[in-house]
Amino acid sequence: MRRLLLPALAFLLAGPATAGEHCDEYWFTRNALFARAGYCFSSPLGQAIFGNEGCTTKSPKLGTAEAAKVKHILELEALDACAIDTKRTSLDIRGLEMRKTMKVLPVRDVGGSACIGWKGAPVTLRNAPSTSAEAVGEIGLGDQINFEFEREGDWDFVFIYSDLQLVSSGWTNMTWSPETCESVAG
């Protein structure tokens, strides 16, 4: 149910992946992990997205989970034949500033789905896949919930739209079904 898309929602959802479609997403997540570990960027893109304030090294040490995530992202980049032009100074990523605030960074999936018109109770969004993580947003009645990222255990990273405007993003372990939505895409 989570990965088949309706063409009418293509402007908000990720459609079937094409070569290179998610390269900006992969580049951001991989390099955000390095930035958090103190990496000093020399490229215009790295400096524009992350800056170098507080950087300490060109050879940061990643934790086990972060190193595994970087390895996985490098594999995805190879599959998509990604070749990012690091001379530019922007990325084509929705909710970039919201994403920067996440304690645990999501990895873009190749598909997506959506709950359109949430009918359930309010749901708290968190900055990491944990009930003890900081609350960063909420899913409200009538919102559209987009699922476009790989799961972390029982948790999904979601984008929340209200009146076709991106209003929030974060991690949730909510249970949803076609009955909790006015309609479903995917």
Side-chain angles (χ1 to χ4, degrees):
M1 171 169 60
R2 292 197 49 220
R3 301 296 173 228
L4 178 65
L5 298 175
L6 299 177
L9 296 174
F11 68 99
L12 287 178
L13 297 174
T18 59
E21 179 181 347
H22 304 308
C23 292
D24 279 7
E25 296 268 358
Y26 299 145
W27 185 94
F28 167 75
T29 303
R30 179 172 51 81
N31 283 283
L33 292 166
F34 283 111
R36 291 177 178 187
Y39 184 76
C40 298
F41 290 91
S42 56
S43 71
L45 184 57
Q47 290 177 9
I49 300 301
F50 303 108
N52 275 333
E53 187 174 325
C55 76
T56 58
T57 184
K58 290 295 252 176
S59 301
K61 302 238 186 286
L62 298 175
T64 304
E66 290 81 8
K69 192 173 273 191
V70 165
K71 181 179 184 242
H72 175 60
I73 292 168
L74 287 169
E75 292 166 354
L76 294 170
E77 287 177 310
L79 286 172
D80 260 8
C82 293
I84 295 293
D85 176 6
T86 58
K87 292 181 180 148
R88 63 186 171 141
T89 57
S90 65
L91 293 171
D92 184 20
I93 297 178
R94 271 179 292 133
L96 179 61
E97 293 308 312
M98 289 183 218
R99 298 258 302 279
K100 287 180 179 181
T101 68
M102 294 297 122
K103 185 174 179 184
V104 173
L105 295 164
V107 175
R108 186 69 164 82
D109 202 346
V110 296
S113 61
C115 167
I116 303 162
W118 176 247
K119 297 191 305 187
V123 176
T124 301
L125 299 176
R126 305 205 174 268
N127 71 349
S130 168
T131 55
S132 62
E134 177 184 349
V136 294
E138 184 176 85
I139 300 168
L141 194 62
D143 285 346
Q144 176 173 311
I145 308 163
N146 284 27
F147 300 85
E148 302 174 22
F149 295 86
E150 293 180 359
R151 292 181 64 108
E152 295 255 349
D154 293 335
W155 290 77
D156 285 295
F157 182 83
V158 296
F159 283 130
I160 307 304
Y161 290 85
S162 181
D163 298 323
L164 302 180
Q165 297 294 313
L166 177 61
V167 294
S168 189
S169 65
W171 291 95
T172 178
N173 66 346
M174 69 179 210
T175 301
W176 71 283
S177 67
E179 293 76 35
T180 57
C181 309
E182 293 294 331
S183 61
V184 175

